[in-house]
Amino acid sequence: MSDQVISKSSKVISDYAGSLDGSVCLPDQVLFPSTFHELHGIVAEAKEKLLELHVVCTGRNWGYGSAQGTGEGQTIVDLSRMNKILEVNEDLAYARIQPGVTQGMLAEYLAKHNSRLQLDVTGAPAHTSIVGNFLERGFGHTDYGNRYESILSLKVLLANGKNIATGFGCFKENRNVFDQGIGPDLKGLFSQSNFGIVHEMTIALQPKPAHFCMLILSVKNKDDLGVLVDLVRELRLKQYVNSTIHIANPGRVTNRDTKQLGAWVLSGAISSSKAIVRARKKTIRRICKRRLSRYKLVFVDDAKFRLIKFIHRRIRPLAIFENLKSAIDLQKGNPTDQPLKVMTDLEEVEHIRFADDFATKFRWINACCNAEKTSIEKMMQLLSEIYEKYQYPLQLTLTSINARTLILIANVRYVDDPDAIKKANTFYVECAQALHENQFYAYRTGIRCGVPYDDDYKEVLGNLKECFDPQRVFSPNKNSIN
Ligand SMILES: Cc1cc2nc3c(=O)[nH]c(=O)nc-3n(C[C@H](O)[C@H](O)[C@H](O)COP(=O)(O)OP(=O)(O)OC[C@H]3O[C@@H](n4cnc5c(N)ncnc54)[C@H](O)[C@@H]3O)c2cc1C
């Protein structure tokens, strides 16, 4: 295939074949284009030779299929060499990037150029992509944590070789960043789909707040989760907190002593001007007092964190220090390895790139839940029963992706042996089914998992696929679109 790097080496093939659920899906080859021209050539050749292409940005889709394609024998197109930061606009607060740009690269660029802007980062390490995660509608930890909402425009290569842009990219000449453009807004069609290859994305960046402040709230009683969720909804609806808010059980926060964390610990960002932070603190204290009885509410700003750091380094080590530091990093847009360290129980995770680099297997279980007491209690009951039946420790976070919806991310970790993998698969299917039947639907699926759409909806998706990619070149069956 033209002049881009092609790999058929067995090591590379196996890197892209494995998934953390223990499954293997062998590709035929892996291509690494470094220009749009090369990418264009790959698509043309794939059509001619009837190849199936599956595109990844960095292929670190851990827990959702890693770098696997949607089927055996595919050509994986790894876009990590198309990694240019094309523009950062300080006034309009956006960045224009290629798909291979990682969170680490953009965060480093912003720091190096003394930018007034910050990136929203996920809990995945620095070398994971921005574009792949935004397209899968992942989420982060700041006011821009609902990442899909920060997509201003996409440039997309279609299977017929045409190159289109969303928003006002509908016109030949465009300098306007209004994401909705005019006419149908096509942006959503290229997210969680298989209709085209996104080769450029413009994303909104957040102006760095003048005063950093993190909110941490913990409750002693396990049964207070429903009240906590009602409280989160109030904070988000009334915009006292604009960041995503994460509620976690201690097992998901740290693998150290967890006594001080209570039954549930919540974190969010209330960073803004000093006056607004002061007003938000006062209001949040009042709301907590009204809604909760046994709880601990702490605000950590830069001055307080410096003090905590001093105590940790000079007086006595604090068990929670690394996790606190990592939560602050995430809220400031600095990628961190800490969540991966907690998840893997490893001190060093630098080497982890592909599924085979992990010492254990794991899977995410995710589901959306209305941000209300009755819904969350029902979901938790379902989940707890199944976790107990299979004797897995319940480790989960609930993230207020917006004011009305929480996203559950629970996981199971298990050793790499056939019995453990089989057990985890049975558990996963039971869990996913029970959640779905009770209308707690997944917000994102594993790359080779199906979505049981209603028939009419599925037909529309099929018609769209026929229109964009009649030869089924791109990731056939991704999200059950065919
Ligand atoms: C410890 C830990 C913490 C994590 N924390 C988070 C978190 O906070 N938030 C979160 O969302 N996820 C999180 N993850 C999950 C996952 O690791 C990230 O979502 C990661 O960013 C996905 O990998 P990637 O960026 O390399 O995407 P890729 O693997 O490159 O892409 C993902 C999928 O998107 C599609 N795609 C990619 N590129 C294109 C393109 N150019 N055009 C069209 N379609 C494309 C493909 O279907 C591809 O399979 C975490 C995982 C771990 C292990």
Side-chain angles (χ1 to χ4, degrees):
M1 284 203 165
S2 51
D3 49 357
Q4 79 285 335
V5 179
I6 304 174
S7 186
K8 281 181 181 269
S9 94
S10 55
K11 164 77 177 103
V12 174
I13 297 287
S14 92
D15 278 343
Y16 289 78
S19 165
L20 283 163
D21 62 9
S23 67
V24 174
C25 177
L26 281 173
D28 189 49
Q29 58 181 347
V30 185
L31 306 181
F32 300 89
S34 50
T35 62
F36 174 76
H37 179 72
E38 287 177 1
L39 182 64
H40 196 273
I42 290 170
V43 172
E45 209 167 321
K47 276 184 67 183
E48 202 184 297
K49 294 185 176 164
L50 301 177
L51 300 179
E52 290 180 2
L53 303 178
H54 178 74
V55 178
V56 298
C57 287
T58 50
R60 321 264 188 259
N61 205 10
W62 300 316
Y64 298 111
S66 301
Q68 267 184 352
T70 56
E72 297 267 338
Q74 291 179 341
T75 296
I76 305 285
V77 184
D78 181 322
L79 301 178
S80 56
R81 286 169 197 236
M82 292 176 67
N83 60 3
K84 289 197 180 72
I85 297 169
L86 300 165
E87 181 190 1
V88 171
N89 188 311
E90 288 285 327
D91 296 325
L92 288 170
Y94 68 78
R96 206 153 54 79
I97 55 171
Q98 289 189 327
V101 173
T102 63
Q103 348 192 60
M105 285 177 194
L106 188 53
E108 218 174 286
Y109 179 99
L110 296 174
K112 193 170 151 200
H113 290 81
N114 289 322
S115 173
R116 300 187 303 271
L117 308 171
Q118 71 169 48
L119 166 69
D120 178 81
V121 293
T122 68
H127 57 62
T128 55
S129 83
I130 296 171
V131 171
N133 184 274
F134 272 62
L135 289 177
E136 287 294 285
R137 304 204 285 269
F139 54 79
H141 295 250
T142 65
D143 290 10
Y144 288 32
N146 183 345
R147 308 185 104 202
Y148 176 72
E149 286 184 347
S150 297
I151 300 177
L152 298 180
S153 68
L154 305 173
K155 282 196 180 160
V156 189
L157 174 61
L158 302 178
N160 62 8
K162 298 252 159 80
N163 181 23
I164 63 160
T166 64
F168 280 121
C170 57
F171 301 119
K172 238 191 183 72
E173 300 291 331
N174 175 43
R175 264 182 290 139
N176 202 308
V177 288
F178 183 49
D179 59 328
Q180 296 164 29
I182 187 165
D185 179 2
L186 299 189
K187 177 176 90 174
L189 286 177
F190 301 103
S191 140
Q192 292 194 4
S193 77
N194 52 8
F195 299 150
I197 300 177
V198 174
H199 62 92
E200 191 181 305
M201 184 183 277
T202 304
I203 59 166
L205 296 175
Q206 183 180 356
K208 277 186 193 158
H211 187 71
F212 171 80
C213 191
M214 173 159 87
L215 145 79
I216 306 173
L217 169 66
S218 69
V219 293
K220 280 243 164 347
N221 187 349
K222 213 167 129 225
D223 297 332
D224 277 349
L225 180 62
V227 185
L228 205 56
V229 164
D230 282 345
L231 178 141
V232 166
R233 187 186 62 245
E234 182 177 354
L235 296 180
R236 295 282 269 129
L237 275 177
K238 294 182 178 166
Q239 300 189 358
Y240 300 134
V241 180
N242 290 326
S243 74
T244 47
I245 297 179
H246 298 258
I247 305 175
N249 69 344
R252 256 314 292 280
V253 180
T254 175
N255 32 24
R256 296 181 174 222
D257 173 24
T258 55
K259 272 185 227 110
Q260 350 163 358
L261 289 175
W264 298 103
V265 57
L266 172 160
S267 64
I270 57 164
S271 306
S272 186
S273 71
K274 215 163 185 171
I276 291 175
V277 169
R278 202 179 305 126
R280 282 179 173 168
K281 278 162 108 172
K282 202 170 152 194
T283 311
I284 293 168
R285 280 197 187 102
R286 183 174 44 75
I287 294 174
C288 286
K289 209 166 165 186
R290 170 162 53 80
R291 286 191 179 266
L292 298 166
S293 48
R294 294 174 70 211
Y295 65 96
K296 205 158 94 199
L297 174 63
V298 185
F299 296 102
V300 183
D301 59 12
D302 286 330
K304 189 174 262 174
F305 184 64
R306 274 196 297 275
L307 179 66
I308 294 171
K309 195 157 135 188
F310 177 80
I311 297 172
H312 175 72
R313 301 240 159 106
R314 301 285 173 82
I315 302 177
R316 71 191 147 91
L318 304 169
I320 204 70
F321 179 79
E322 289 303 332
N323 299 86
L324 179 66
K325 181 176 177 306
S326 135
I328 289 175
D329 277 336
L330 292 172
Q331 290 190 6
K332 288 191 170 191
N334 303 319
T336 158
D337 285 345
Q338 186 62 17
L340 189 55
K341 288 182 180 173
V342 172
M343 162 138 289
T344 53
D345 271 334
L346 294 172
E347 286 299 320
E348 282 306 319
V349 291
E350 290 273 302
H351 64 286
I352 294 182
R353 295 283 187 281
F354 297 98
D356 286 351
D357 300 330
F358 286 75
T360 55
K361 302 287 169 207
F362 80 87
R363 295 187 79 135
W364 298 121
I365 288 145
N366 81 67
C368 292
C369 174
N370 287 338
E372 55 184 356
K373 188 170 184 286
T374 43
S375 295
I376 196 70
E377 286 180 351
K378 186 169 175 195
M379 187 169 85
M380 282 309 297
Q381 192 191 343
L382 270 175
L383 212 59
S384 309
E385 278 169 13
I386 303 175
Y387 265 80
E388 206 175 311
K389 178 174 159 193
Y390 286 85
Q391 296 281 295
Y392 288 124
L394 188 55
Q395 297 184 323
L396 64 90
T397 57
L398 297 159
T399 299
S400 68
I401 184 102
N402 62 30
R404 295 169 184 83
T405 302
L406 292 169
I407 293 182
L408 160 85
I409 305 280
N411 71 296
V412 278
R413 203 147 59 96
Y414 41 100
V415 290
D416 187 3
D417 84 41
D419 286 344
I421 290 172
K422 197 169 157 207
K423 177 183 160 188
N425 281 344
T426 318
F427 159 82
Y428 178 82
V429 169
E430 189 171 332
C431 227
Q433 239 166 30
L435 287 164
H436 190 88
E437 277 162 15
N438 285 278
Q439 298 173 34
F440 298 115
Y441 301 127
Y443 91 104
R444 164 179 178 186
T445 65
I447 207 70
R448 294 194 303 132
C449 301
V451 184
Y453 305 110
D454 271 356
D455 291 347
D456 289 356
Y457 199 88
K458 191 166 169 138
E459 192 183 317
V460 171
L461 292 177
N463 292 341
L464 286 169
K465 183 71 177 164
E466 178 66 25
C467 155
F468 281 109
D469 179 17
Q471 266 182 254
R472 291 1 183 219
V473 176
F474 299 144
S475 310
N477 219 22
K478 178 174 175 185
N479 279 331
S480 301
I481 307 169
N482 229 332

